[in-house]
Amino acid sequence: MKVLYLLDSVNRGGAETLALDICRNAERCGLEMTFVATGGGDLEQEFENSGVGYHRLKRRWPIDLKLIRELRKIILEKQIEVVHGHQPVEALHLYLATVGLKNVRCVMSHHGGGLFAASRKNRLVAKYLSPLMDANISCSRALLTWLRQEIGISAAEKFHVIWNAVDESRLQPTGNSIRTELNIGESDLTMGMVANFVPSPTKDQMTICRALPQIFAEFENARFIFVGRISPGGEKNYVACVDHCAERGIADKVLFLGAREDVPDILGSLDLFVFSSLHEGLPIAVAETMLSKVPMIVSDIEPLLEATDDGTYAEMFEAQNEVELAQKTLGLLRDKVVRADLAQRAYDFARENYVIDAHIAKLLQLYESLKATAAER
């Protein structure tokens, strides 16, 4: 199956990480992949080395005729059978590049973070383009409900739910000790969250910062690590968290590491992963944590309930409720046996649902069904 993927950038984020995992495993799983990016990013070298054909193009205008021509040329030369865009604007360019190509099918993925932060224009593109696609993919049932309610996309029309997944092989720690780097003792309790600081009301690091003083009051040897880059426009949220920790006198116990390439080593050092969020699709970070055998506490929004099987595989707290977060975190920190049991059960669940082979198998099944069906556009 010959497939072309198109992303607007290759910065370290959920959609990009998923696409990179797919590229690295494509050939082994029966996909002949061509990957196109219309912008650079910190993952560009990794995409170039992923084993698929990599093309770096440039989009200069909201609808770029030159880009459409370049995409069409690649599609024809590579005899592409399915084109797959991961944002509305990219999917629109792919759709226009395939007009008149009866044997090429168009797929658009809908990712939570990008759509929550999207402009009104992009949301309108998603709404009116999705019926023109041969298939749409939502990364969770909860996101599908949100698409119907907030954007007006018909959840029944050409939509398929395929959960995000992770290449488990890249989660193997290298052996580097993050505790040594950060001067954290082996007996110190270490918590953390991996998520970018973003301008949209999605990731909620501030609720964690507000809960930490109560946690540190009981566990003086505890530390908290925030990992994630500061996205454009996210500076205000980052500064607010840093200032709050300084004002509460806990700045020496809270570490802001920025973007890191050694996330497996960081996850391997954690006693507890905390994921505080207001809106999600189905976050890659949760799957990575489960597959790293790290116990989790997550906010009780619908996508995270779905990702953890209604809270079966993670402790839950009411979103934005720092008091409940502190109380439930303390309960987990007090009981190592409970944490270990939670981590093992979550790992077993993730091995069945969040590994990249399962994800690619579902993609292939969808692609093959589209190929076999005469779609009308």
Side-chain angles (χ1 to χ4, degrees):
M1 174 65 68
K2 297 180 179 181
V3 181
L4 183 150
Y5 261 45
L6 177 64
L7 267 74
D8 63 340
S9 72
V10 285
N11 282 309
R12 200 175 299 274
E16 294 83 359
T17 300
L18 173 62
L20 181 57
D21 281 351
I22 292 171
C23 288
R24 285 171 169 165
N25 293 274
E27 183 177 3
R28 180 177 59 81
C29 294
L31 284 178
E32 187 175 335
M33 289 280 296
T34 297
F35 183 85
V36 180
T38 58
D42 49 16
L43 290 177
E44 186 160 23
Q45 189 65 50
E46 296 188 50
F47 273 103
E48 290 180 353
N49 298 332
S50 66
V52 305
Y54 178 82
H55 298 262
R56 175 75 141 77
L57 304 179
K58 186 175 182 180
R59 178 165 64 86
R60 299 166 180 80
W61 307 100
I63 299 180
D64 193 318
L65 296 180
K66 182 180 179 182
L67 174 60
I68 292 169
R69 289 194 298 269
E70 291 172 328
L71 288 169
R72 190 179 181 91
K73 181 180 178 181
I74 294 172
I75 291 167
L76 291 172
E77 287 180 351
K78 300 287 186 180
Q79 298 181 318
I80 298 296
E81 298 167 284
V82 175
V83 295
H84 191 153
H86 284 260
Q87 296 291 346
V89 172
E90 280 62 56
L92 175 60
H93 281 77
L94 288 173
Y95 175 77
L96 293 175
T98 60
V99 169
L101 303 181
K102 300 300 183 181
N103 294 323
V104 183
R105 304 292 180 253
C106 290
V107 178
M108 175 167 60
S109 281
H110 300 259
H111 297 281
L115 280 171
F116 299 135
S119 65
R120 181 174 179 272
K121 178 178 65 178
N122 281 346
R123 291 191 181 196
L124 285 173
V125 172
K127 176 179 179 178
Y128 291 108
L129 186 62
S130 60
L132 300 177
M133 294 289 102
D134 295 297
N136 295 271
I137 296 175
S138 172
C139 59
S140 67
R141 295 186 297 273
L143 178 61
L144 199 53
T145 300
W146 183 88
L147 290 168
R148 182 176 65 248
Q149 295 174 345
E150 299 296 325
I151 300 185
I153 291 176
S154 172
E157 188 164 11
K158 302 179 182 177
F159 265 87
H160 307 263
V161 174
I162 300 179
W163 284 348
N164 290 336
V166 173
D167 181 357
E168 194 175 5
S169 67
R170 68 171 171 80
L171 296 178
Q172 300 304 312
T174 66
N176 293 330
S177 173
I178 189 71
R179 287 176 178 264
T180 299
E181 176 189 335
L182 302 176
N183 197 28
I184 299 174
E186 289 302 317
S187 62
D188 292 343
L189 289 168
T190 308
M191 302 164 283
M193 176 175 174
V194 179
N196 295 331
F197 287 86
V198 295
S200 59
T202 52
K203 304 300 185 286
D204 180 29
Q205 290 94 340
M206 179 55 79
T207 292
I208 296 175
C209 294
R210 289 172 177 154
L212 287 175
Q214 184 179 342
I215 297 169
F216 292 149
E218 180 170 338
F219 291 95
E220 294 184 1
N221 67 331
R223 299 290 185 273
F224 199 97
I225 299 171
F226 284 105
V227 178
R229 67 184 176 90
I230 305 171
S231 299
E235 296 85 357
K236 181 179 179 181
N237 293 334
Y238 170 78
V239 170
C241 288
V242 172
D243 288 349
H244 179 84
C245 292
E247 291 166 3
R248 296 304 302 270
I250 60 173
D252 60 325
K253 298 178 183 290
V254 185
L255 306 170
F256 296 86
L257 304 188
R260 298 281 296 219
E261 296 182 1
D262 57 347
V263 169
D265 291 316
I266 293 171
L267 288 175
S269 73
L270 297 182
D271 296 290
L272 182 66
F273 186 86
V274 186
F275 198 78
S276 179
S277 183
L278 303 178
H279 297 286
E280 291 292 337
L282 195 143
I284 293 290
V286 167
E288 291 176 336
T289 302
M290 287 181 168
L291 289 168
S292 299
K293 291 188 179 180
V294 180
M296 286 191 305
I297 178 168
V298 303
S299 46
D300 64 350
I301 61 175
E302 285 298 323
L304 294 180
L305 284 167
E306 181 178 341
T308 61
D309 195 22
D310 254 353
T312 303
Y313 302 108
E315 183 65 85
M316 313 295 297
F317 71 94
E318 183 183 18
Q320 294 186 292
N321 187 334
E322 66 266 24
V323 175
E324 185 174 46
L325 172 58
Q327 291 173 345
K328 291 193 173 183
T329 298
L330 286 169
L332 288 169
L333 293 180
R334 292 173 189 138
D335 199 326
K336 185 176 182 179
V337 174
V338 169
R339 294 201 308 272
D341 175 69
L342 186 61
Q344 183 62 53
R345 291 189 294 106
Y347 173 76
D348 293 340
F349 176 75
R351 287 284 294 137
E352 294 182 3
N353 296 282
Y354 297 142
V355 293
I356 198 65
D357 284 27
H359 182 88
I360 294 178
K362 290 176 181 177
L363 285 179
L364 265 172
Q365 184 179 17
L366 174 60
Y367 295 158
E368 293 289 356
S369 70
L370 295 178
K371 182 180 176 181
T373 303
E376 296 182 1
R377 289 192 286 138

PDB file of all heavy atoms in Angstrom, residues 18 23 46 89 93 110 140 145 150 152 185 229 253 265 289 313 345 351 354 359 375:
ATOM      1  N   LEU A  18       3.520  10.580  16.617  1.00  0.00           N
ATOM      2  CA  LEU A  18       2.794   9.436  16.069  1.00  0.00           C
ATOM      3  C   LEU A  18       3.222   9.181  14.621  1.00  0.00           C
ATOM      4  O   LEU A  18       3.491   8.034  14.233  1.00  0.00           O
ATOM      5  CB  LEU A  18       1.291   9.688  16.135  1.00  0.00           C
ATOM      6  CG  LEU A  18       0.397   8.647  15.452  1.00  0.00           C
ATOM      7  CD1 LEU A  18       0.557   7.274  16.087  1.00  0.00           C
ATOM      8  CD2 LEU A  18      -1.064   9.091  15.490  1.00  0.00           C
ATOM      9  N   CYS A  23       6.238   6.090  10.457  1.00  0.00           N
ATOM     10  CA  CYS A  23       7.265   6.053   9.413  1.00  0.00           C
ATOM     11  C   CYS A  23       8.340   5.021   9.728  1.00  0.00           C
ATOM     12  O   CYS A  23       8.781   4.270   8.850  1.00  0.00           O
ATOM     13  CB  CYS A  23       7.897   7.437   9.250  1.00  0.00           C
ATOM     14  SG  CYS A  23       6.826   8.671   8.461  1.00  0.00           S
ATOM     15  N   GLU A  46      15.182  13.291  12.385  1.00  0.00           N
ATOM     16  CA  GLU A  46      14.672  11.951  12.674  1.00  0.00           C
ATOM     17  C   GLU A  46      13.734  11.463  11.571  1.00  0.00           C
ATOM     18  O   GLU A  46      13.737  10.273  11.233  1.00  0.00           O
ATOM     19  CB  GLU A  46      13.976  11.944  14.038  1.00  0.00           C
ATOM     20  CG  GLU A  46      14.925  12.234  15.193  1.00  0.00           C
ATOM     21  CD  GLU A  46      14.285  12.050  16.544  1.00  0.00           C
ATOM     22  OE1 GLU A  46      13.675  10.989  16.767  1.00  0.00           O
ATOM     23  OE2 GLU A  46      14.386  12.976  17.378  1.00  0.00           O
ATOM     24  N   VAL A  89      -5.760  22.267   6.923  1.00  0.00           N
ATOM     25  CA  VAL A  89      -5.150  22.959   5.785  1.00  0.00           C
ATOM     26  C   VAL A  89      -4.343  21.989   4.934  1.00  0.00           C
ATOM     27  O   VAL A  89      -4.371  22.047   3.697  1.00  0.00           O
ATOM     28  CB  VAL A  89      -4.275  24.128   6.272  1.00  0.00           C
ATOM     29  CG1 VAL A  89      -3.481  24.713   5.110  1.00  0.00           C
ATOM     30  CG2 VAL A  89      -5.139  25.212   6.900  1.00  0.00           C
ATOM     31  N   HIS A  93      -5.007  20.823   0.901  1.00  0.00           N
ATOM     32  CA  HIS A  93      -4.034  20.812  -0.195  1.00  0.00           C
ATOM     33  C   HIS A  93      -3.944  19.430  -0.839  1.00  0.00           C
ATOM     34  O   HIS A  93      -3.816  19.313  -2.064  1.00  0.00           O
ATOM     35  CB  HIS A  93      -2.665  21.270   0.310  1.00  0.00           C
ATOM     36  CG  HIS A  93      -2.547  22.756   0.440  1.00  0.00           C
ATOM     37  ND1 HIS A  93      -3.109  23.456   1.487  1.00  0.00           N
ATOM     38  CD2 HIS A  93      -1.950  23.676  -0.356  1.00  0.00           C
ATOM     39  CE1 HIS A  93      -2.857  24.747   1.331  1.00  0.00           C
ATOM     40  NE2 HIS A  93      -2.154  24.911   0.220  1.00  0.00           N
ATOM     41  N   HIS A 110      -8.072  13.915  12.720  1.00  0.00           N
ATOM     42  CA  HIS A 110      -8.467  15.018  13.592  1.00  0.00           C
ATOM     43  C   HIS A 110      -7.803  14.792  14.944  1.00  0.00           C
ATOM     44  O   HIS A 110      -8.085  13.807  15.637  1.00  0.00           O
ATOM     45  CB  HIS A 110      -9.987  15.068  13.740  1.00  0.00           C
ATOM     46  CG  HIS A 110     -10.703  15.271  12.442  1.00  0.00           C
ATOM     47  ND1 HIS A 110     -11.201  16.492  12.038  1.00  0.00           N
ATOM     48  CD2 HIS A 110     -10.992  14.402  11.435  1.00  0.00           C
ATOM     49  CE1 HIS A 110     -11.779  16.370  10.836  1.00  0.00           C
ATOM     50  NE2 HIS A 110     -11.651  15.100  10.458  1.00  0.00           N
ATOM     51  N   SER A 140     -10.105   9.526  19.277  1.00  0.00           N
ATOM     52  CA  SER A 140     -10.864   9.010  20.422  1.00  0.00           C
ATOM     53  C   SER A 140     -12.353   9.229  20.183  1.00  0.00           C
ATOM     54  O   SER A 140     -12.763  10.079  19.386  1.00  0.00           O
ATOM     55  CB  SER A 140     -10.452   9.702  21.728  1.00  0.00           C
ATOM     56  OG  SER A 140     -10.822  11.070  21.714  1.00  0.00           O
ATOM     57  N   THR A 145     -17.223  13.208  19.749  1.00  0.00           N
ATOM     58  CA  THR A 145     -18.352  13.931  20.343  1.00  0.00           C
ATOM     59  C   THR A 145     -18.103  15.426  20.317  1.00  0.00           C
ATOM     60  O   THR A 145     -18.996  16.216  19.981  1.00  0.00           O
ATOM     61  CB  THR A 145     -18.573  13.458  21.792  1.00  0.00           C
ATOM     62  OG1 THR A 145     -18.860  12.060  21.795  1.00  0.00           O
ATOM     63  CG2 THR A 145     -19.729  14.217  22.444  1.00  0.00           C
ATOM     64  N   GLU A 150     -18.962  20.985  18.931  1.00  0.00           N
ATOM     65  CA  GLU A 150     -18.290  22.280  18.866  1.00  0.00           C
ATOM     66  C   GLU A 150     -18.063  22.793  17.450  1.00  0.00           C
ATOM     67  O   GLU A 150     -18.032  23.995  17.222  1.00  0.00           O
ATOM     68  CB  GLU A 150     -16.943  22.201  19.603  1.00  0.00           C
ATOM     69  CG  GLU A 150     -17.066  21.847  21.077  1.00  0.00           C
ATOM     70  CD  GLU A 150     -17.812  22.899  21.860  1.00  0.00           C
ATOM     71  OE1 GLU A 150     -17.676  24.093  21.532  1.00  0.00           O
ATOM     72  OE2 GLU A 150     -18.546  22.533  22.799  1.00  0.00           O
ATOM     73  N   GLY A 152     -19.610  21.099  14.598  1.00  0.00           N
ATOM     74  CA  GLY A 152     -20.753  20.762  13.763  1.00  0.00           C
ATOM     75  C   GLY A 152     -20.445  19.709  12.731  1.00  0.00           C
ATOM     76  O   GLY A 152     -21.187  19.548  11.753  1.00  0.00           O
ATOM     77  N   GLY A 185      18.122  12.613  44.911  1.00  0.00           N
ATOM     78  CA  GLY A 185      18.545  11.387  45.557  1.00  0.00           C
ATOM     79  C   GLY A 185      17.710  10.199  45.119  1.00  0.00           C
ATOM     80  O   GLY A 185      16.545  10.337  44.735  1.00  0.00           O
ATOM     81  N   ARG A 229       8.438  21.926  25.720  1.00  0.00           N
ATOM     82  CA  ARG A 229       8.871  23.211  25.185  1.00  0.00           C
ATOM     83  C   ARG A 229       7.792  24.266  25.401  1.00  0.00           C
ATOM     84  O   ARG A 229       6.625  23.948  25.657  1.00  0.00           O
ATOM     85  CB  ARG A 229       9.212  23.101  23.695  1.00  0.00           C
ATOM     86  CG  ARG A 229       8.039  22.812  22.793  1.00  0.00           C
ATOM     87  CD  ARG A 229       8.503  22.612  21.345  1.00  0.00           C
ATOM     88  NE  ARG A 229       7.406  22.243  20.485  1.00  0.00           N
ATOM     89  CZ  ARG A 229       6.645  23.109  19.833  1.00  0.00           C
ATOM     90  NH1 ARG A 229       6.887  24.405  19.935  1.00  0.00           N
ATOM     91  NH2 ARG A 229       5.662  22.687  19.045  1.00  0.00           N
ATOM     92  N   LYS A 253      12.158  22.850  44.483  1.00  0.00           N
ATOM     93  CA  LYS A 253      11.640  21.484  44.353  1.00  0.00           C
ATOM     94  C   LYS A 253      10.927  21.244  43.026  1.00  0.00           C
ATOM     95  O   LYS A 253      10.522  20.120  42.744  1.00  0.00           O
ATOM     96  CB  LYS A 253      10.669  21.181  45.502  1.00  0.00           C
ATOM     97  CG  LYS A 253      11.296  21.239  46.889  1.00  0.00           C
ATOM     98  CD  LYS A 253      10.230  20.973  47.956  1.00  0.00           C
ATOM     99  CE  LYS A 253      10.823  21.089  49.356  1.00  0.00           C
ATOM    100  NZ  LYS A 253      11.745  19.965  49.632  1.00  0.00           N
ATOM    101  N   ASP A 265      14.354   8.217  29.607  1.00  0.00           N
ATOM    102  CA  ASP A 265      15.143   8.253  30.832  1.00  0.00           C
ATOM    103  C   ASP A 265      14.398   8.993  31.936  1.00  0.00           C
ATOM    104  O   ASP A 265      14.457   8.608  33.109  1.00  0.00           O
ATOM    105  CB  ASP A 265      16.495   8.929  30.581  1.00  0.00           C
ATOM    106  CG  ASP A 265      17.404   8.085  29.703  1.00  0.00           C
ATOM    107  OD1 ASP A 265      17.487   6.872  29.918  1.00  0.00           O
ATOM    108  OD2 ASP A 265      18.026   8.648  28.788  1.00  0.00           O
ATOM    109  N   THR A 289       3.544   6.717  29.004  1.00  0.00           N
ATOM    110  CA  THR A 289       3.684   6.474  30.445  1.00  0.00           C
ATOM    111  C   THR A 289       3.249   5.066  30.811  1.00  0.00           C
ATOM    112  O   THR A 289       3.925   4.370  31.576  1.00  0.00           O
ATOM    113  CB  THR A 289       2.863   7.507  31.224  1.00  0.00           C
ATOM    114  OG1 THR A 289       3.313   8.826  30.877  1.00  0.00           O
ATOM    115  CG2 THR A 289       3.007   7.315  32.720  1.00  0.00           C
ATOM    116  N   TYR A 313      -7.106   2.237  34.918  1.00  0.00           N
ATOM    117  CA  TYR A 313      -5.657   2.107  34.850  1.00  0.00           C
ATOM    118  C   TYR A 313      -4.929   3.392  35.228  1.00  0.00           C
ATOM    119  O   TYR A 313      -3.754   3.565  34.901  1.00  0.00           O
ATOM    120  CB  TYR A 313      -5.255   1.646  33.454  1.00  0.00           C
ATOM    121  CG  TYR A 313      -5.918   0.332  33.104  1.00  0.00           C
ATOM    122  CD1 TYR A 313      -6.951   0.272  32.179  1.00  0.00           C
ATOM    123  CD2 TYR A 313      -5.554  -0.844  33.752  1.00  0.00           C
ATOM    124  CE1 TYR A 313      -7.576  -0.936  31.881  1.00  0.00           C
ATOM    125  CE2 TYR A 313      -6.180  -2.046  33.472  1.00  0.00           C
ATOM    126  CZ  TYR A 313      -7.186  -2.084  32.534  1.00  0.00           C
ATOM    127  OH  TYR A 313      -7.810  -3.283  32.253  1.00  0.00           O
ATOM    128  N   ARG A 345      -0.827  -3.018  35.742  1.00  0.00           N
ATOM    129  CA  ARG A 345      -2.114  -3.214  35.056  1.00  0.00           C
ATOM    130  C   ARG A 345      -2.250  -2.269  33.873  1.00  0.00           C
ATOM    131  O   ARG A 345      -2.769  -2.649  32.815  1.00  0.00           O
ATOM    132  CB  ARG A 345      -3.271  -3.030  36.042  1.00  0.00           C
ATOM    133  CG  ARG A 345      -3.357  -4.135  37.085  1.00  0.00           C
ATOM    134  CD  ARG A 345      -4.635  -4.064  37.915  1.00  0.00           C
ATOM    135  NE  ARG A 345      -4.698  -2.881  38.751  1.00  0.00           N
ATOM    136  CZ  ARG A 345      -5.475  -1.829  38.524  1.00  0.00           C
ATOM    137  NH1 ARG A 345      -6.276  -1.809  37.440  1.00  0.00           N
ATOM    138  NH2 ARG A 345      -5.481  -0.792  39.346  1.00  0.00           N
ATOM    139  N   ARG A 351      -0.236  -2.553  26.277  1.00  0.00           N
ATOM    140  CA  ARG A 351       0.350  -3.521  25.348  1.00  0.00           C
ATOM    141  C   ARG A 351      -0.692  -4.081  24.393  1.00  0.00           C
ATOM    142  O   ARG A 351      -0.380  -4.476  23.267  1.00  0.00           O
ATOM    143  CB  ARG A 351       1.011  -4.665  26.123  1.00  0.00           C
ATOM    144  CG  ARG A 351       2.308  -4.298  26.797  1.00  0.00           C
ATOM    145  CD  ARG A 351       3.458  -4.210  25.828  1.00  0.00           C
ATOM    146  NE  ARG A 351       3.768  -5.509  25.257  1.00  0.00           N
ATOM    147  CZ  ARG A 351       4.035  -5.754  23.981  1.00  0.00           C
ATOM    148  NH1 ARG A 351       3.993  -4.767  23.111  1.00  0.00           N
ATOM    149  NH2 ARG A 351       4.321  -6.965  23.548  1.00  0.00           N
ATOM    150  N   TYR A 354      -2.155   0.227  22.731  1.00  0.00           N
ATOM    151  CA  TYR A 354      -1.433   1.442  22.381  1.00  0.00           C
ATOM    152  C   TYR A 354      -0.073   1.196  21.736  1.00  0.00           C
ATOM    153  O   TYR A 354       0.764   2.093  21.714  1.00  0.00           O
ATOM    154  CB  TYR A 354      -1.254   2.327  23.619  1.00  0.00           C
ATOM    155  CG  TYR A 354      -2.548   2.819  24.217  1.00  0.00           C
ATOM    156  CD1 TYR A 354      -2.709   2.916  25.596  1.00  0.00           C
ATOM    157  CD2 TYR A 354      -3.610   3.189  23.405  1.00  0.00           C
ATOM    158  CE1 TYR A 354      -3.888   3.363  26.145  1.00  0.00           C
ATOM    159  CE2 TYR A 354      -4.803   3.630  23.946  1.00  0.00           C
ATOM    160  CZ  TYR A 354      -4.937   3.716  25.317  1.00  0.00           C
ATOM    161  OH  TYR A 354      -6.117   4.150  25.858  1.00  0.00           O
ATOM    162  N   HIS A 359      -1.877   0.009  15.814  1.00  0.00           N
ATOM    163  CA  HIS A 359      -2.341   1.225  15.144  1.00  0.00           C
ATOM    164  C   HIS A 359      -2.188   1.110  13.629  1.00  0.00           C
ATOM    165  O   HIS A 359      -3.125   1.402  12.872  1.00  0.00           O
ATOM    166  CB  HIS A 359      -1.550   2.426  15.664  1.00  0.00           C
ATOM    167  CG  HIS A 359      -1.963   3.733  15.078  1.00  0.00           C
ATOM    168  ND1 HIS A 359      -2.970   4.500  15.615  1.00  0.00           N
ATOM    169  CD2 HIS A 359      -1.516   4.407  13.982  1.00  0.00           C
ATOM    170  CE1 HIS A 359      -3.126   5.596  14.886  1.00  0.00           C
ATOM    171  NE2 HIS A 359      -2.254   5.567  13.889  1.00  0.00           N
ATOM    172  N   ALA A 375     -14.916   5.336  -4.352  1.00  0.00           N
ATOM    173  CA  ALA A 375     -15.385   6.541  -3.661  1.00  0.00           C
ATOM    174  C   ALA A 375     -15.753   7.617  -4.677  1.00  0.00           C
ATOM    175  O   ALA A 375     -15.077   7.776  -5.691  1.00  0.00           O
ATOM    176  CB  ALA A 375     -14.311   7.058  -2.722  1.00  0.00           C
TER     177      ALA A 375
END
